[in-house]
Amino acid sequence: MELQEQLKEIKTQLRLSMNGAVSQSMREKGLAYKLNFGVELPRIKSIADGYPKDHALAQALWKEEIRECKILAGLLQPADSFLPEIADIWVEDIRNIEIAELTCMNLFQYLPYAPAKSFHWIADEREYVQVCGFLTIARLLMKKGDMNERVENEFLDQAVCAFLSGTYHVRNAAMTAIRRFMQHKEENAFQVCRRVEGMKDSVSEAEQLLYNLVREEIA
């Protein structure tokens, strides 16, 4: 099937599955899309299952300013043909937390260069670039949490800084990664506790919040 025919077929399936109530609910929650059919995630996954992973199709879907097409792109993009430069282009194009979370889960965590790239992203100043970096690190920590001491220190420096000074979504993504780091082994949990122990009585609300979230994690 030609690429344009595949795109047309996919959009037809999306229209047939559209849910206006879901789309409206997402808008009310601040998830803004140029076009959102409101198709629920299991149905999107079912549509993806009908196609083999294909680089050209995934790239074409990503370029569509449609929520469901971007989600499908992450599901259908083969990791081995997804070059680091393309990963940067995709990340720079992400504008909301749903696409960030799903693309990290469905694609970014599987990239062979994900560890290095995610550290590059968390050092960026743009909101969703940082978010993708921390969410990818969190995913990697769930699979294989080992880091050498230098990398651990760099990660914790960046994560604590992002939590204290970042936006709402950056803060949440950084905390997700910190939690995964702590859960990997007891030594990591102690290391984070040492980092925040001086924040207990801080005048900074952000520092107090971080301290309390860390304490909750080990409780």
Side-chain angles (χ1 to χ4, degrees):
M1 193 186 298
E2 292 289 331
L3 178 59
Q4 290 307 313
E5 289 178 15
Q6 286 182 311
L7 282 172
K8 184 178 179 181
E9 184 180 86
I10 287 170
K11 287 179 185 178
T12 298
Q13 292 182 70
L14 293 173
R15 287 192 182 92
L16 291 171
S17 305
M18 68 191 299
N19 187 324
V22 171
S23 177
Q24 177 65 26
S25 173
M26 294 175 84
R27 274 197 299 276
E28 290 169 356
K29 292 173 182 172
L31 284 171
Y33 291 96
K34 190 169 182 180
L35 186 56
N36 179 357
F37 292 120
V39 181
E40 296 176 355
L41 294 176
R43 176 57 184 148
I44 297 174
K45 179 72 166 60
S46 173
I47 292 172
D49 288 342
Y51 298 87
K53 285 184 179 283
D54 180 85
H55 180 82
L57 178 57
Q59 294 300 312
L61 285 164
W62 185 262
K63 290 172 184 172
E64 298 283 339
E65 291 299 319
I66 301 171
R67 167 185 173 261
E68 290 78 6
C69 287
K70 288 196 180 294
I71 296 170
L72 283 164
L75 288 164
L76 292 174
Q77 174 64 52
D80 58 0
S81 59
F82 196 68
L83 300 176
E85 309 86 76
I86 306 175
D88 285 332
I89 291 169
W90 278 36
V91 165
E92 289 166 10
D93 192 40
I94 289 174
R95 296 287 181 270
N96 70 51
I97 192 63
E98 184 188 30
I99 297 301
E101 289 176 344
L102 291 173
T103 311
C104 289
M105 178 176 70
N106 295 328
L107 177 61
F108 293 159
Q109 68 165 320
Y110 300 112
L111 300 174
Y113 51 82
K117 182 57 73 177
S118 58
F119 272 81
H120 177 73
W121 289 340
I122 65 173
D124 199 286
E125 293 183 354
R126 289 165 293 184
E127 179 180 17
Y128 283 105
V129 178
Q130 283 189 64
V131 166
C132 287
F134 284 117
L135 292 179
T136 301
I137 288 173
R139 290 274 166 189
L140 294 172
L141 285 166
M142 289 168 69
K143 296 194 296 183
K144 181 181 179 296
D146 296 324
M147 298 179 181
N148 65 42
E149 186 177 348
R150 183 188 64 77
V151 173
E152 284 181 354
N153 286 329
E154 182 185 345
F155 161 66
L156 289 175
D157 284 346
Q158 295 278 11
V160 170
C161 180
F163 184 93
L164 297 178
S165 62
T167 64
Y168 174 80
H169 290 307
V170 170
R171 177 176 289 189
N172 283 351
M175 193 63 219
T176 298
I178 290 170
R179 284 197 180 101
R180 295 288 178 262
F181 178 77
M182 292 176 69
Q183 291 163 4
H184 182 61
K185 58 184 178 183
E186 202 169 282
E187 184 184 324
N188 289 4
F190 284 130
Q191 196 175 340
V192 175
C193 288
R194 286 197 299 271
R195 286 255 179 172
V196 304
E197 61 187 357
M199 298 180 185
K200 181 180 180 181
D201 300 313
S202 172
V203 295
S204 162
E205 286 186 16
E207 289 191 354
Q208 280 192 19
L209 178 60
L210 178 57
Y211 174 84
N212 288 330
L213 288 172
V214 168
R215 295 300 299 178
E216 284 173 17
E217 185 59 38
I218 61 170

